[in-house]
Amino acid sequence: MAAPPPREQALALLAAANNHGDLAVKLSSLKQAKDILLAAEPFQAAELFPFLVDLQSSPESLVRKTLIDVIEEIGLKALEHFSILMPVLLTLLKDENATVVKQSILSGTSIFCSVLEELSLQFHRRGIVEMWLEELWTWMVKFKDAVIDILFEAAPLGIKLLTVKFLEIHILLFTSDRNDSERSTVEAISRGGRGFNISWLAVDHPVLDTATLTLDANRSLGILLDLLQSASNLPGLLTISIVNSLAAIARRRPAHYSPILSALLEFDSSFEMAKGGHIASIQYSIRTAFLGFLRCTHPAILESRDMLLKSLRGMNAGDAADQVLRQVEKMMRSNERASRDARLSKDEQLSDHLPASLDHGRKRSLPSDNGDPSYNKDIGVKRVRYGSNDPAAPSVEKNDPGQDDMNGVSKIPLLDSNLTPVEQMIAMIGALIAEGERGVESLEILISNIHPDLLADIVITNMRHLPKNPPLTRPLASDRQGEPSGPSQSIVSTGSTISMEIPDLTAQVPVSSSSLIGSSPSDMSASNNLPFDSKRDPRRDPRRLDPRRMVASVGMPPAPSTEDNSNATQSGAIQHHVDSPSSFIKPLSPPVILSSESITVPLMPKSEAGLTTLASLPTSYVDSLDAKVEVKEEESREIVLNEEEKGALEVPSFTTVEGEQDSVAQTSSDFTMVDEVYSPPSLEADEHSPAIPDMEAAEEASAELPVLPSYIDLTEEQQRIVGALAIERIFDSYENLQGPGGKQIRMALLARLVARVDANNDAILAMQKHVTLDYHHQKGHELVMHVLFHLYSLMISGSEESSPLAAVAYENFLMGVAKSLLENLPATDKSFSRLLGEVPLLTDSVMKLLDDLCCEKYLGKDTSDGDRVTQGLGAVWSLILGRPLNRQACLDIALKCAVHPEDDIRAKAIRLVARKLYVLDYISENIEQFATRMFLSAVDERVSDVDLSQSGVTEQRIEREVGSQETSISGSQVSEPGVSEMDSMKGANMDTQNDSAATLAHAQQHVSLFFALCPKKPSLVRIIFDNYARSPKAIKQAVHRQIPVLIGAFGSSYSELLQMISDPPQGSENLLTQVIHVLSEGTSPPDLVATVKHLYETKLKDATILIPILSSFSKNEVLPIFPQLVNLPLDKFQTALAHILQGSAHTGPALTPAEVMVAIHDIIPERDHLPLKKITDACSVCFEQRTVFTQQVMARALNQMVDQTPVPLLFMRTVIQTTDAFPALVDFVMELLSKLVSRQVWRMPKLWVGFLKCVAQTQPHSFRVLLQLPSPQLESTLNKYPQLRGPLANYASQPSVRNSLSRSTLVLLSPVNESHLQQSHLTPSSHAPDPSSSLHGAMPS
Amino acid sequence: MKFRYAMVCSSNQNRSMESHALLKKEGFDVSSYGTGQHVKLPGPALREPNVYDFGTPYKFMFDQLLRKDPQLYRRNGVLPMLKRNLGVKSAPQRWQENAADGSFDVVLTFEEKVFDMVIEDLHNRNHVFMKPVLVINLEVKDNHEEAAVGARLALLLCQELEATEAWEESIDDIITNFEREHRRKLSYSISYY
């Protein structure tokens, strides 16, 4: 009634919010108005609502957004009047501003939920729904449709994200959360307004029709699924959010799981089509979704586990998937631990009131559990949750595995108690069972969450205490026929009885098969954990009664059991072994029982004998067992029963009992395994009569009964044998098994058995062999992994006593499998590598095996097979990539092989290291250091027995230097001279053959790796150059062999090399030349030419380096350096000559042969600082190449030279050589001589001698030329070569000649001088041959 | 700076803190977390890490390790890292226990496993506010050098996100371009608060 002031105030504020010029004022006014409205009575506030509505057209988006905020807050308080404001919400859904729209969706959603809640509550409380609420609901439906419409309109992505989220909420709201896999109650409690679920609705609700709403939700789901299908047109973000939403829906509402799963699977496979967004992220969202499903333990989802695993493996997320599975398991353990603590604290009170333990059990059961059976049936069933992924628990546990910290620090299991998880689990289950009926429900939830692995553990651990006498169950089951227990309970108990019974029971109790399926496994383990309970307080355990009770009810002859008790100490286990299956089989095939029982008798007296017979026993009952397996396979979940059987078989293999329970175990040893299996029925019976008195009675009774079956300790030997048999059997069934579910369990069981049995056992060896034979098909790999992971987990988590054992078993098993893989599979098979890549830990021995394999030391069948090396190196490679922890060790192996003396191994290893490993930045440095060290040590002659295994970062020690020095000295002495440019090559030849070969190989061995790295990192080349000079000959030799390959590998990217070339270190000329040579093979790139030229001009005056690039030189470039080329050793000059004449493809040869000839003659020894001998040699070289320096060439060259001034020094020598070489040129030569005569050759002393010689040699052709000489010269000629005189006179006497001669010539030739002629004729030889003293080297060759 | 950022690695020591420090210096509204069970620092041997609970002050760890083996921890960079960290905030925080810290707009993780955990954790929370949160994984190796590189990349990425009108529209492009430009594999997902 005191309304006016606030009302006026609010009006003023709203007006300000509408009209004020300042945005800040508007907003604060609006907020103040909101406060007033909130404080007012709803109906009063409602009067002001129209003013609020006006604000929706405010031009400021911020105002509109705040308005929605305000509306939501007020609306939630005054829901009754909210209809007035709804149009605002709807209008603003279509606002142009994205933030406003988003806010509308948010606020609308929250109101939507509130309205729903109100709707259901109102009807629930008052039985009616008021008009206003009904009206509001129609608004809500409009709102929902409007939001969904947004999805199909062009809207900003931010808005669409929210609409997808809204759809998700919508679906969750309208899909029943019965059997909810996750936190329906949590949702209800913590979500405030969003606790509504369709399952709240009464069937006859006037407004909300369940069927319609469900349909609506399904339609929404359809929309999401459709959108997913058209994802290729959607932005990646939207696709991801749709996938996420679908995943969330599937996890929370398993009813939708299968369509969603198939849509996601389909999407995954057709996913390459999607091009809308960031593909990797979209794929990742699918992966996340699948992993999320794996975390779920709802039966519907569990069924598809294999499929999920397969797809996850397909997207390379197998590891993550395995990890999730382990997490789930761990999570369960943490739950156990929590309840165990509770249990411990409770234990003390236990003797008084068993129900005291209820409190912690109830933590997991639901609040609705109040013990009233009908209520239990109604709500309890509804609320049964399978995958209780307690939101708190996962966050605690799930991130443990591989929290690899800084620098690969691996995780350490932190177990804070001596109890293993399994024991904790058993303790917890025991505690729950102790609660009786009330605990069952919690138990179910718990057990349905247990991973097969863990379940197997539990079973096995429980098997520790086996009874000897086989209780029979059939009668008990029939006892229970009349029990009025609730459906779930009775089914539960059925689960643990033989499958044969199931038909009866299902007939009796109308329960869907799904609930049957769901509950049976849970109860199985419910029974399993009883022993633990009993261990803790054996006298209290209800099952103590069971054996007797069963015996009594079955009417089984007491004789065997008493006999057992009296005799059986050693043979007990065997008896279990035999008995328990037989008891199972009984209903199916009575004959078997007979046989087995008959066998038990002989066993009694002597255990040894028993054991031997046992070996032959299995055939009979295994057959029946198999038959049974098949029967059970038909019931999908009955597999768990199989597991029980397996458990029964392997019981004896148990040896270790964790510390504190030991003593208790002894006393509580009076339970048969079968007993445990069938104990639930008795429990069920107990439930109806008060449990406690019953048990107490039992306690009293037990004191008086002397013949309780006692526990039998097996000798180790027996344990081993029996364990081996169990393995054999399980493995057999594993191999033959087709169904997917059973394998998991068999694997888990095998893993545990292997942990128990000595790994060198025949059975295991056989298994290893078998596994390898069908490593791929039969999923041998999976099994091996399973076993290894189990052993590993024992190793790292086990107590002090068991972990060393496990470590040994692990090692042996791993080695066994690895070896048999190597032996049985071809080298090309990848299994070996895969095995090493995926096992949890690589032991030293495996690394050794790998090492041996790589080094060909592994003594397999085919030692000479190089493929094994490849296989080993392949494994090394994948390990380096995949196992950071073993990286160094593997790298060591690879590097060791890379300097292996064996060429083949080395080549393979080098290929691996250089191509594959060196590119990995995390090890490239190590590799480089190692290679460099090897190279340097080779250079320093430290290579002989360098410690190869030490490839770490630590510096190589130099100690070994001394020892190896000896061998190298001879080599280096030989190469010492160093004058000969090709010393390294020649040196090698000088060396004794063997020695050089050895050292060369030795050098190769150590430098090859380094060379292989060079192309990857050109800067390494400098190291080669720097160390070349001081290298011993063998290394140089090796280097020269490697260089061509190396340069070839460089390809076009040799800028580093050019840099190197432009500044070579002292002493590396030979190397440099080779490099240049190789580089310029074919064509010489211009930059190379430039670099080399520059080098030649500046630093290195050795023309040798120019040779390789000569072909690309022009004439003008060649001529200046020609003298230097001639000055080179003959062989090098020859090469140079070839290059010059060859030229490049583009420019043609730099010099023609004639020009070369001329160039050679143009060299002046004094000026060009080279001995004349070099020039004559060069000429000789030319003459040797007659195909190049043909007579035409020579003619041209000589023709050119004869006109030169001065005439080249060696001209005459060449002329003489030419006439010798090409007699046909004699006429041409005569012309040349004539020319020389005209050029007064006698004035050129050095040529004159040659001239005369030539004339003398070429007579009679030269007579004409001779006669052209002036008389004095002719005279001196004739004096020198008197033998010419006669012929010449004859020639001159010819009339035609005579006429043209001068008088003085005729006089000279006159017979007056005949005597002179005669005289000199006698001694021609003394004159003729020796012009060389005056004419350097003019002697024709 | 319109967004709130969270940097997450496993121990909230190296990678997340490196980025935290850098982004903080650049004026971003940033927090950092670890998703591990415990905080683990390298110890004298691979199998002997130093294990702390989240919430243990960096100063405490620093003092303790300084007492234990100053040479070792200085050499392996742990001490310098802790010193840097204690200048940024007082103690490592756990992602799974950060509900009280309010909602973030962008969460950057540095390891796939951490990414998975953050997403799963967000999934398990109640999405009361329906407020989208972008989670991006940038794979960074857990060593000091890579962390420094990773932090710079994180900064670049955050700057690009800040520069957008609404990240929802351009996230695909941003991620794709970033990948191409820096040759790093990224993946992102989306969840809600």
Side-chain angles (χ1 to χ4, degrees), chain A residues 157 161 165 183 190 236 244 251 278 281 284 287 295 395-396 398-399 402-403 405 407 409 412, chain B residues 10-11 35 37 40 47 94 96 112-113 116-117 120 124 126-127 168-169 172 179 186 188 190:
Chain A
L157 269 179
L161 278 189
K165 186 70 189 167
R183 59 180 176 148
S190 59
N244 286 351
R251 282 172 71 171
H278 187 242
S281 295
Y284 206 94
R287 182 191 121 125
R295 287 201 175 90
S395 63
V396 179
K398 73 175 66 151
N399 33 32
Q403 276 297 321
D405 253 304
N407 310 329
V409 172
I412 294 195
Chain B
S10 70
S11 277
T35 54
Q37 186 84 309
K40 286 175 196 160
R47 293 192 167 278
R94 188 149 190 264
Q96 288 88 339
E112 203 171 84
K113 212 155 44 193
D116 287 345
M117 271 177 215
E120 178 65 17
N124 283 321
N126 294 312
H127 305 157
E168 289 97 335
E169 302 296 331
D172 281 313
E179 275 187 335
L186 299 185
Y188 74 91
I190 183 167

Side-chain angles (χ1 to χ4, degrees), chain B residues 2-3 160-170:
Chain B
K2 51 189 177 189
F3 297 135
E160 279 193 47
L161 287 170
E162 282 288 332
T164 57
E165 186 72 19
W167 60 259
E168 289 97 335
E169 302 296 331
S170 44

Side-chain angles (χ1 to χ4, degrees), chain A residues 486-733:
Chain A
S488 62
Q489 274 80 17
S490 61
I491 298 303
V492 160
S493 43
T494 330
S496 56
T497 53
I498 299 172
S499 59
M500 289 294 285
E501 283 177 13
I502 285 173
D504 302 355
L505 278 164
T506 39
Q508 177 207 353
V509 188
V511 178
S512 73
S513 66
S514 74
S515 71
L516 173 77
I517 284 162
S519 46
S520 56
S522 60
D523 215 61
M524 292 306 298
S525 25
S527 59
N528 295 335
N529 50 58
L530 283 169
F532 189 78
D533 189 31
S534 71
K535 263 185 288 175
R536 304 203 136 271
D537 189 356
R539 302 179 312 132
R540 197 148 271 298
D541 193 314
R543 283 160 307 126
R544 298 197 79 182
L545 300 176
D546 292 343
R548 276 164 298 145
R549 199 187 275 170
M550 286 173 183
V551 167
S553 56
V554 175
M556 190 182 178
S561 65
T562 43
E563 207 175 0
D564 281 357
N565 288 331
S566 52
N567 293 350
T569 45
Q570 301 289 301
S571 63
I574 300 145
Q575 241 195 312
H576 304 319
H577 197 75
V578 176
D579 284 349
S580 19
S582 70
S583 71
F584 270 110
I585 291 157
K586 234 163 214 171
L588 294 173
S589 53
V592 178
I593 301 168
L594 289 177
S595 67
S596 60
E597 270 171 1
S598 64
I599 287 170
T600 55
V601 179
L603 286 185
M604 310 263 179
K606 252 191 176 179
S607 59
E608 253 70 54
L611 285 170
T612 44
T613 24
L614 185 63
S616 60
L617 168 69
T619 43
S620 67
Y621 87 73
V622 159
D623 287 349
S624 58
L625 217 154
D626 281 359
K628 206 163 133 53
V629 167
E630 272 152 43
V631 171
K632 290 184 178 166
E633 233 55 292
E634 289 162 18
E635 312 280 347
S636 57
R637 292 300 298 176
E638 287 304 310
I639 283 157
V640 187
L641 278 182
N642 291 341
E643 184 189 355
E644 292 286 335
E645 290 173 8
K646 306 301 171 201
L649 297 182
E650 62 209 14
V651 170
S653 65
F654 271 78
T655 53
T656 54
V657 179
E658 312 295 334
E660 55 173 272
Q661 278 89 31
D662 264 356
S663 56
V664 192
Q666 296 296 332
T667 52
S668 66
S669 58
D670 46 357
F671 300 102
T672 63
M673 163 263 158
V674 188
D675 182 359
E676 287 156 16
V677 175
Y678 295 106
S679 56
S682 67
L683 251 190
E684 298 301 330
D686 287 347
E687 278 164 20
H688 298 279
S689 56
I692 308 157
D694 199 22
M695 276 188 280
E696 277 167 359
E699 275 165 42
E700 288 156 19
S702 68
E704 299 154 14
L705 286 170
V707 289
L708 279 182
S710 64
Y711 224 70
I712 308 303
D713 279 329
L714 293 178
T715 65
E716 287 196 6
E717 177 73 0
Q718 289 169 326
Q719 287 166 357
R720 247 200 314 279
I721 294 175
V722 177
L725 284 171
I727 289 184
E728 239 171 61
R729 214 158 290 138
I730 297 175
F731 187 69
D732 279 349
S733 77

Side-chain angles (χ1 to χ4, degrees), chain A residues 2-42:
Chain A
R7 181 191 147 91
E8 296 312 315
Q9 222 178 326
L11 271 178
L13 286 167
L14 287 173
N18 208 358
N19 302 320
H20 201 280
D22 189 355
L23 179 60
V25 176
K26 284 182 172 187
L27 291 178
S28 75
S29 307
L30 187 53
K31 279 173 189 156
Q32 287 175 43
K34 178 191 75 179
D35 292 340
I36 295 172
L37 287 172
L38 281 175
E41 291 295 319

Side-chain angles (χ1 to χ4, degrees), chain A residues 102 105-106 109 155-166 168-169 182-183 186-187 190-191 194 234-238 240-241 244-245 247-248 251-252 276-278 280-282 284-285 287-288 291-292 295 320 323 327 389 391 394-412 414 792 796 841 885 921-922, chain B residues 9-15 34-43 45-51 76-78 81 94 96-97 111-117 119-134 137 141-146 166-173 175-176 179 184-193:
Chain A
K102 283 187 204 167
I105 298 177
L106 289 180
T109 310
L157 269 179
I159 298 176
K160 291 200 172 186
L161 278 189
L162 286 186
T163 57
V164 169
K165 186 70 189 167
F166 176 81
E168 177 194 323
I169 292 172
E182 287 183 33
R183 59 180 176 148
V186 182
E187 271 173 54
S190 59
R191 275 212 168 186
R194 281 182 211 163
L234 296 179
L237 178 66
L238 200 55
I240 291 174
S241 84
N244 286 351
S245 283
R251 282 172 71 171
R252 293 194 195 160
H278 187 242
S281 295
I282 297 175
Y284 206 94
S285 70
R287 182 191 121 125
T288 310
L291 286 178
R295 287 201 175 90
Q323 201 172 313
Q327 282 164 10
N389 253 359
S395 63
V396 179
E397 278 297 326
K398 73 175 66 151
N399 33 32
D400 202 12
Q403 276 297 321
D404 291 349
D405 253 304
M406 303 261 321
N407 310 329
V409 172
S410 61
K411 58 154 186 160
I412 294 195
L414 298 158
Y792 181 66
I796 60 169
L841 174 78
L885 283 178
D921 49 3
Y922 42 83
Chain B
C9 67
S10 70
S11 277
N12 195 200
Q13 286 281 11
N14 185 27
R15 296 167 289 185
T35 54
Q37 186 84 309
H38 301 276
V39 174
K40 286 175 196 160
L41 289 174
L46 212 58
R47 293 192 167 278
E48 304 168 45
N50 293 291
V51 181
N76 67 9
V78 170
M81 180 183 76
R94 188 149 190 264
Q96 288 88 339
E97 290 149 17
E111 193 178 327
E112 203 171 84
K113 212 155 44 193
V114 175
F115 183 58
D116 287 345
M117 271 177 215
I119 290 177
E120 178 65 17
D121 176 66
L122 284 170
H123 168 82
N124 283 321
R125 297 185 188 190
N126 294 312
H127 305 157
V128 184
F129 303 107
M130 282 174 73
K131 183 178 179 232
V133 49
L134 174 65
N137 183 49
K141 273 184 222 134
D142 198 357
N143 60 47
H144 302 300
E145 297 75 21
E146 283 294 309
W167 60 259
E168 289 97 335
E169 302 296 331
S170 44
I171 184 65
D172 281 313
D173 293 337
I175 296 286
T176 315
E179 275 187 335
R184 291 276 182 155
K185 278 259 162 261
L186 299 185
S187 44
Y188 74 91
S189 188
I190 183 167
S191 189
Y192 298 85
Y193 272 104

Side-chain angles (χ1 to χ4, degrees), chain A residues 12 25 53 126 240 312 356 579 757 797 875 886 1019 1254 1298 1327 1331:
Chain A
V25 176
V53 173
R126 296 191 243 162
I240 291 174
L312 280 169
D579 284 349
V757 180
S797 67
N886 300 96
S1019 58
C1254 181
R1298 191 181 185 92
H1327 284 283

Side-chain angles (χ1 to χ4, degrees), chain A residues 1202-1235:
Chain A
V1202 78
D1203 292 335
Q1204 283 177 352
T1205 309
V1207 177
L1209 185 63
L1210 291 180
F1211 180 73
M1212 274 326 294
R1213 183 179 180 276
T1214 304
V1215 170
I1216 294 168
Q1217 278 183 302
T1218 307
T1219 50
D1220 283 347
F1222 307 107
L1225 281 183
V1226 72
D1227 288 336
F1228 169 75
V1229 168
M1230 291 310 116
E1231 276 172 43
L1232 286 180
L1233 296 180
S1234 301
K1235 270 188 190 166

